[in-house]
Amino acid sequence: MGDTGVGSSTCPFGRPIRDAHFLFAPTYTPLNHGAFGTYPKSVQKRLHECQALSEARPDYFVRYQYPPMLDKSRAAMAQFLGLPVDEVVFVPNATTAINVVLSNLRYKKGDVILHLSTVYGAVEKTIQYLCETTEVDDINVAVQYPIDDGFLVSLFRAGIQSVKSQGKTVKIAVFDTISSLPGVRVPWERLVEVCKDEGVLSMVDGAHGVGHIGLDLAKVQPDFFASNCHKWLYVPRGCAVFHVPKRNQHLIRTSLPTSHGFDPLPREGGQEIVNPLMIAGPSKSNFVMLFEFVATLDVSPYLCIEEALKFRRDVCGGEEGIVTYCERLSNEGGDKIAEILSTEVMENGEKSLARCAMTNVRLPLIIGDGPGEIPRKNTLAVAIWMTEILAKVHDVYLPAFIHADAFWVRLSGQIYLELEDCIRGARILRDLCERARGGEYLKDQKRE
């Protein structure tokens, strides 16, 4: 499956591009690209160049070299997304951007944050923290896949209307482009439309968006959007793009942590706080300046955008080829794993859930108290045990998880993988499931 003839320029995809351009250990089978991503050697070279520049003249770099270099990266990212450059900034990860948005909003009694039950765990904990420390409440819209997109949209709208019927206000709704576990494509464009209809702010968690699926943000126009560039775009960790349209930038008064870009309101008897990093140069908006320097961190990943896009264009042949190969491999690989395990992939009647480069496959394990079944109290232990054995014994990473009262694994398709990699993972999974049914995970727990 190495060379599909789709989108490959200098190298065919699969093993050839892995060997020539990526940094994996020879025995490692990375079937979980969606978690932390990776990047090619050319991007690593750029990363090291930027780090060397920052160490050669630290003060000079931070004050004079870095800002224009960052502007070029922002311009490249804005062009890639089809957005105005002054609506695009970088933060370390999508979770940070979502924290920025939720923490900048002002809440009063009766305000509600709405989210789906499949929201990323760190985001849900952010919401819970705000419920503990402010007057806001939350509503969790329960979702059990597989369901059709139309049903999900109706659940989402019903959740908003239920809040309104109680005399409360949905201040903001948080939802994914592609959820994490399970890894399924969410009809986020339609959810944005519902938010517009209902007068609700939309926060799109596009952690798995950029470099993975088409976005067309200029057309959809969410109120806030964030996506990790270090997942599917081949940029080093941690780098995420944070998009706030001009109409909403007044709502974002501070970064996290609050840093030199914050412009405090005048206070009687107060004195001006001078930004020690402010230099003469082109004027930038308050929003852009807010995120240009946020405390001290390694900003080198932000400066690798152009090199990553160059790799995707010159080596991979462009976005269409990458997206087509990854989605095709994810779907074919998922089907093959399901065939070997005698189970099925997670899909709905519209065939929309796997319209991306992640596929979920059910494991042949039954939750229950019968012979060979997994007691409900042990389900998490089994998922952790299987994932750990895959990684530590077989040098394969494929996450196991529980959803809708069943065991699943999530496969990520990527240009450096081939169908044979999926088959290898499936055969190991089949053996581990048999061992789990025999209770081996309990023996390993006792040894620990």
Side-chain angles (χ1 to χ4, degrees):
M1 190 172 179
D3 186 358
T4 64
V6 179
S8 52
S9 176
T10 305
C11 264
F13 294 155
R15 177 61 63 171
I17 203 167
R18 168 179 170 149
D19 292 345
H21 293 279
F22 285 90
L23 298 149
F24 296 114
T27 60
Y28 187 53
T29 305
L31 300 176
N32 189 40
H33 182 96
F36 302 111
T38 192
Y39 49 91
K41 296 173 184 176
S42 60
V43 175
Q44 184 195 51
K45 180 174 180 288
R46 172 61 176 169
L47 176 70
H48 290 172
E49 288 172 351
C50 294
Q51 290 170 334
L53 276 176
S54 71
E55 297 312 310
R57 298 179 178 85
D59 282 282
Y60 184 82
F61 175 81
V62 171
R63 296 169 188 274
Y64 305 111
Q65 285 184 290
Y66 165 62
M69 292 170 73
L70 179 65
D71 290 343
K72 288 186 64 179
S73 277
R74 289 178 41 248
M77 190 76 254
Q79 183 178 17
F80 182 79
L81 292 173
L83 295 171
V85 69
D86 55 359
E87 296 183 355
V88 170
V89 295
F90 294 119
V91 292
N93 47 63
T95 302
T96 296
I98 295 167
N99 269 262
V100 166
V101 172
L102 297 182
S103 298
N104 269 276
L105 297 181
R106 294 292 171 260
Y107 305 103
K108 61 181 184 297
K109 193 171 183 60
D111 285 345
V112 172
I113 300 173
L114 182 143
H115 64 86
L116 304 181
S117 60
T118 50
V119 68
Y120 186 57
V123 174
E124 185 171 15
K125 287 190 174 183
T126 300
I127 295 169
Q128 289 177 354
Y129 173 74
L130 289 169
C131 290
E132 290 180 9
T133 57
T134 75
E135 292 190 295
V136 78
D137 202 353
D138 75 316
I139 181 169
N140 183 342
V141 178
V143 178
Q144 283 201 348
Y145 288 103
I147 57 174
D148 286 346
D149 288 352
F151 185 55
L152 175 60
V153 173
S154 67
L155 286 175
F156 183 79
R157 188 184 292 274
I160 295 175
Q161 294 178 344
S162 173
V163 171
K164 288 183 173 182
S165 71
Q166 300 170 45
K168 299 180 180 180
T169 301
V170 178
K171 183 81 169 184
I172 190 167
V174 184
F175 47 89
D176 302 286
T177 53
I178 298 168
S179 60
S180 179
L181 293 174
V184 297
R185 186 160 180 162
V186 177
W188 65 279
E189 302 96 333
R190 294 170 65 181
L191 299 184
V192 170
E193 284 301 314
V194 171
C195 287
K196 292 176 182 176
D197 291 345
E198 300 288 345
V200 172
L201 290 171
S202 56
M203 172 71 248
V204 179
D205 181 354
H208 292 281
V210 171
H212 188 169
I213 57 173
L215 294 170
D216 203 356
L217 296 171
K219 178 181 178 182
V220 181
Q221 292 198 354
D223 289 304
F224 306 97
F225 175 87
S227 185
N228 289 324
C229 302
H230 58 244
K231 285 186 183 285
W232 299 87
L233 200 67
Y234 311 144
V235 174
R237 295 172 291 274
C239 174
V241 58
F242 181 29
H243 163 55
V244 180
K246 289 180 183 177
R247 68 180 185 274
N248 292 326
Q249 289 181 4
H250 69 284
L251 296 173
I252 307 300
R253 295 209 53 237
T254 182
S255 59
L256 288 180
T258 297
S259 195
H260 294 300
F262 175 60
D263 186 16
L265 297 174
R267 298 176 61 187
E268 186 176 352
Q271 63 180 14
E272 182 182 1
I273 306 172
V274 177
N275 181 350
L277 297 173
M278 185 68 72
I279 60 171
S283 60
K284 299 176 187 177
S285 69
N286 290 338
F287 174 71
V288 170
M289 288 303 300
L290 197 60
F291 293 92
E292 183 166 281
F293 181 92
V294 181
T296 301
L297 71 161
D298 183 3
V299 294
S300 303
Y302 298 176
L303 309 180
C304 294
I305 296 292
E306 290 176 288
E307 190 61 42
L309 295 178
K310 178 182 177 184
F311 173 80
R312 297 170 72 87
R313 180 186 67 244
D314 296 348
V315 175
C316 302
E319 296 304 307
E320 182 180 355
I322 295 171
V323 170
T324 299
Y325 183 89
C326 293
E327 183 174 327
R328 181 186 301 168
L329 178 61
S330 174
N331 291 332
E332 292 180 2
D335 288 342
K336 180 57 71 172
I337 293 173
E339 177 187 324
I340 292 171
L341 298 180
S342 299
T343 60
E344 71 278 340
V345 299
M346 182 183 288
E347 188 52 284
N348 60 18
E350 299 168 290
K351 305 295 183 185
S352 64
L353 301 184
R355 206 173 294 155
C356 61
M358 293 200 291
T359 301
N360 309 277
V361 184
R362 188 176 64 80
L363 295 176
L365 296 173
I366 304 299
I367 299 173
D369 297 316
E373 296 179 345
I374 308 299
R376 192 170 303 280
K377 65 179 182 179
N378 292 339
T379 53
L380 181 58
V382 170
I384 292 172
W385 174 81
M386 293 186 71
T387 304
E388 187 171 340
I389 294 295
L390 275 165
K392 292 185 176 180
V393 177
H394 300 282
D395 214 11
V396 173
Y397 201 90
L398 193 67
F401 63 98
I402 315 298
H403 181 76
D405 222 25
F407 284 90
W408 303 83
V409 289
R410 185 192 75 186
L411 167 70
S412 295
Q414 236 336 297
I415 60 171
Y416 50 72
L417 294 172
E418 299 179 353
L419 189 59
E420 188 57 40
D421 296 310
C422 305
I423 293 171
R424 177 170 183 258
R427 289 170 176 163
I428 297 169
L429 283 170
R430 183 174 57 189
D431 174 65
L432 287 176
C433 287
E434 183 63 33
R435 291 160 62 183
R437 285 191 289 268
E440 186 174 330
Y441 65 94
L442 294 172
K443 299 174 187 175
D444 284 355
Q445 283 180 324
K446 290 177 183 178
R447 280 197 292 268
E448 292 176 1

